[in-house]
Amino acid sequence: MATRLPGSAHAARPWRIHEIAGDFQVEDVWAFRTPGATAGDFPAMLAAMREPQRDPLLMRLLFAVRWKLGSLFGWDAPAAGVGGRVDAVRDRLPDDLHANTPVPNAGLGPFTPVYELDDECALEMANKTVHTVMHLGWVPTAHGGYELHMTVLVKPNGRLGRLYLTGITPFRRLLVLPAFIRQKERAWQEQRTPHRAGGAQHTPHREGGAQGTVTGAVGGQVPDAARSLSSLSAIDYVDDFTLRTGTVATPEQWARAMFGDVPGPAALLIWRGLLGLRLSRGPSPDTVAGWRIADRGADWIRLEAASWFLTGNLVVRTAEGRVSLATLLHYERRLGRTVWGVLSAVHRRLAPGLLSGAEANRCAAASAEARMGKKMGQS
């Protein structure tokens, strides 16, 4: 899951942005997992972020709504942008930073580059509501590696800007930024692992496929191996996604790598807020992300959760070179079919990313365990 950091994580670092954007307030600080990164890999991470990628469906829907509102209310008119309503932050740069000409296309949507150094860079954008600076910094970790920190600095435009920030903050923190961060973390993994270039694909289910490929099936195309592990009295919905992988882990380890020990904010919004699932609170060996571990075998594990209008199973299966995630639902009330009918399309878009992200998590965990074992062996 994406990790949000306290503002002190940005303030404590000797970034050049402090002397340039001191009148901006820190809105968010986030960490990107970059397993295997070294001190000189900041340019490589920026290159991975610039790679053109198709945004997750949920992000596209939210941004479509945002741009529609901007068009209706004139928030994004050229006169409201950088160099119009507000002066460019780049105009404030000291002479030594002016010499660091940024890459013209940073691959980060509407943001304009400000400066770029060996371990940090800044980009900006403005509209009628807010002037925003995105700062990216390369930070050493406690385990000897490096990770990317992204800080969002804002200067709201009066009452309109403050109301706007208040309104979008839950969506940005729960949905938009976690999805964006997972996408860029996958881009880093794909850059470091050439055979996976191109990322996960959602194609009709088949047992073959190159390593790193995600295949999926819905309804009648789902194999009996997934259905047979369900505890539902009747299966009203089922899908199944499989990742070809060289990473070895137990079904429970894969489940925790996908969902975490406790549900994150986005999962809580969907599972508890929209589906009404009754989830356990706090980490426990008997639950995964609040779902109860109901049963397991040597190569599978079943998680269960229910609300007053539907009951769900998540089944994770492993086989040589593969890990699969099946979602099975039984509608207890008509509302279940209605609600899941809307959410299922989003779910099917997100599921391949869950598997790919879990693989990245397992690779990072294995690397950390190896480093720890090496240190213990040397002590």
Side-chain angles (χ1 to χ4, degrees):
M1 303 297 288
T3 303
R4 184 166 172 253
L5 304 175
S8 59
H10 175 72
R13 304 292 304 174
W15 304 124
R16 295 298 302 274
I17 195 67
H18 296 316
E19 64 191 81
I20 300 160
D23 53 336
F24 285 70
Q25 66 190 47
V26 175
E27 183 73 6
D28 285 300
V29 184
W30 295 83
F32 292 62
R33 293 165 297 189
T34 53
T38 64
D41 279 338
F42 184 56
M45 182 60 190
L46 293 183
M49 295 183 75
R50 293 180 189 122
E51 283 293 320
Q53 294 172 308
R54 185 171 175 82
D55 292 331
L57 176 64
L58 190 55
M59 281 183 65
R60 298 202 303 273
L61 291 174
L62 291 173
F63 274 110
V65 172
R66 165 59 184 85
W67 300 133
K68 184 64 175 179
L69 291 174
S71 175
L72 290 174
F73 295 109
W75 291 345
D76 306 311
V82 174
R85 183 181 68 81
V86 297
D87 294 331
V89 171
R90 180 163 174 76
D91 294 342
R92 308 178 180 186
L93 296 183
D95 291 342
D96 65 317
L97 286 185
H98 261 300
N100 291 275
T101 303
V103 176
N105 179 15
L108 296 175
F111 283 88
T112 301
V114 177
Y115 68 86
E116 185 175 318
L117 302 174
D118 291 338
D119 63 348
E120 66 170 303
C121 73
L123 308 98
E124 67 177 319
M125 66 165 289
N127 53 43
K128 194 173 182 178
T129 62
V130 65
H131 189 181
T132 303
V133 171
M134 178 189 292
H135 180 265
L136 303 173
W138 203 232
V139 181
T141 68
H143 303 296
Y146 277 76
E147 65 184 12
L148 184 74
H149 284 190
M150 179 180 74
T151 302
V152 180
L153 304 149
V154 298
K155 187 191 290 185
N157 183 22
R159 179 178 296 179
L160 172 63
R162 291 190 292 272
L163 289 173
Y164 173 78
L165 285 175
T166 299
I168 69 168
T169 291
F171 297 98
R172 188 183 69 248
R173 290 179 177 172
L174 295 177
L175 301 173
V176 175
L177 288 180
F180 172 79
I181 291 167
R182 287 194 298 270
Q183 182 190 59
K184 300 309 178 184
E185 288 175 341
R186 288 195 297 272
W188 167 263
Q189 289 286 341
E190 290 162 6
Q191 184 188 75
R192 307 296 282 187
T193 312
H195 68 266
R196 290 188 55 206
Q201 304 171 19
H202 179 189
T203 62
H205 185 85
R206 61 184 185 273
E207 291 302 316
Q211 186 167 306
T213 299
V214 177
T215 58
V218 181
Q221 296 182 344
V222 172
D224 291 339
R227 298 171 179 273
S228 65
L229 297 175
S230 171
S231 64
L232 301 176
S233 57
I235 299 174
D236 297 312
Y237 174 91
V238 58
D239 64 41
D240 186 58
F241 292 86
T242 297
L243 170 70
R244 297 284 298 182
T245 177
T247 302
V248 178
T250 68
E252 182 176 341
Q253 287 173 329
W254 278 114
R256 294 190 185 279
M258 277 186 264
F259 304 113
D261 294 329
V262 296
L268 283 174
L269 176 65
I270 296 172
W271 290 343
R272 187 175 289 168
L274 300 179
L275 295 178
L277 296 178
R278 296 181 289 273
L279 303 176
S280 300
R281 297 181 182 275
S284 167
D286 300 322
T287 62
V288 174
W291 290 64
R292 181 173 64 91
I293 298 176
D295 203 356
R296 70 173 79 209
D299 58 356
W300 62 276
I301 189 170
R302 185 176 70 242
L303 312 178
E304 296 182 1
S307 70
W308 66 273
F309 58 84
L310 60 77
T311 301
N313 288 176
L314 297 175
V315 178
V316 178
R317 312 185 317 280
T318 59
E320 185 176 357
R322 298 192 303 275
V323 58
S324 301
L325 169 66
T327 300
L328 307 100
L329 298 176
H330 172 59
Y331 306 134
E332 309 289 351
R333 303 285 189 279
R334 183 177 299 176
L335 180 62
R337 185 180 301 275
T338 301
V339 171
W340 188 248
V342 174
L343 292 178
S344 60
V346 176
H347 161 77
R348 290 192 295 271
R349 292 280 185 171
L350 296 179
L354 283 174
L355 286 161
S356 298
E359 184 179 37
N361 290 341
R362 287 304 309 159
C363 288
S367 296
E369 290 167 1
R371 287 194 299 269
M372 183 63 68
K374 183 177 181 180
K375 289 181 179 179
M376 292 180 65
Q378 293 173 346
S379 61

